[in-house]
Amino acid sequence: MQSFIDQSVSFIENHQAWAGLVVGLLAFGESLVLVGILLPGTTVLIIVGGLVGAGIVQPLPVLLAAMIGAALGDTVSYFLGRWLGRGVVHKWPLRRYRREVARARLFFHRYGFAAVFVGRFFGPVRATVPLVAGMMGMHRRRFQIANILSAIIWAPAVLSPGWLVAKGAGSIPELDVTSFFGIAAIAAIAAIIVAVIVLKLRAKRQPSRAS
């Protein structure tokens, strides 16, 4: 894993014109069922955020590529779930990951639309919630709304830790395109916090309604 991380970061540093494509593929793999469980894509993306903050890599191509790759990865996983159906969890290779799929299924059953949106930000269910959404017959439009919105927020959120470290949390950069990246990252983190609070409040209300 460490070798993959080092080679990916080194390639991006030495071939900056390919940074967007590499980031897009990493975001795609990170969101793809099974691949996302095994791929250390998040670690590489955090480091890439540092390269953006250091001015080595241009921010907008990387940001857009991460959004598009993440949305496409979830879309493929969703349609695999619709195509293969619920029995796919009993077939190779997913039968080795029944616990992960069961966790995602419980999460989706409890939160539905919100599970697809928020699930992207939680490693244990990120790569399996879209598959489960397809298996459970979630409407395509509802899925894509949650998928695209979460990808737009996830991209700056996952790149922001490295960006902040490279820039220095106490410094205020000039108002250029990189500042836009920082503002987007802060907005993304705020949106995630709000979404988590909403989920917790919803979880507290459910027992009271049942009683």
Side-chain angles (χ1 to χ4, degrees), residues 14-33:
N14 296 323
H15 305 84
Q16 297 169 27
W18 293 90
L21 177 61
V22 175
V23 167
L25 290 174
L26 286 170
F28 176 80
E30 188 77 3
S31 304
L32 194 61
V33 61

Side-chain angles (χ1 to χ4, degrees), residues 15-159:
H15 305 84
Q16 297 169 27
W18 293 90
L21 177 61
V22 175
V23 167
L25 290 174
L26 286 170
F28 176 80
E30 188 77 3
S31 304
L32 194 61
V33 61
L34 271 188
V35 177
I37 298 174
L38 305 173
L39 183 72
T42 298
T43 303
V44 178
L45 292 174
I46 290 173
I47 298 173
V48 171
L51 297 179
V52 172
I56 298 173
V57 175
Q58 292 296 316
L60 287 182
V62 165
L63 195 60
L64 291 174
M67 292 176 184
I68 294 170
L72 287 177
D74 272 18
T75 298
V76 171
S77 298
Y78 168 80
F79 280 106
L80 281 174
R82 288 183 67 96
W83 177 46
L84 298 173
R86 302 187 184 190
V88 67
V89 295
H90 302 293
K91 300 175 182 178
W92 184 89
L94 273 178
R95 64 186 177 193
R96 297 179 55 186
Y97 299 93
R98 289 185 189 177
R99 183 178 300 178
E100 287 81 357
V101 175
R103 188 182 302 166
R105 191 169 180 172
L106 179 63
F107 189 57
F108 178 79
H109 180 73
R110 190 171 188 179
Y111 297 113
F113 178 92
V116 177
F117 181 89
V118 180
R120 189 186 298 280
F121 304 94
F122 294 93
V125 295
R126 179 188 300 123
T128 47
V129 164
L131 178 81
V132 169
M135 289 166 47
M136 303 295 287
M138 183 179 187
H139 193 277
R140 294 181 188 180
R141 183 179 298 175
R142 283 175 55 81
F143 172 81
Q144 289 295 4
I145 291 172
N147 174 32
I148 293 171
L149 287 178
S150 65
I152 291 172
I153 295 174
W154 175 82
V158 75
L159 293 165

Side-chain angles (χ1 to χ4, degrees), residues 161-179:
W163 183 88
L164 290 171
V165 169
K167 278 292 181 183
S171 65
I172 302 177
E174 297 178 0
L175 291 178
D176 55 10
V177 70
T178 309
S179 300

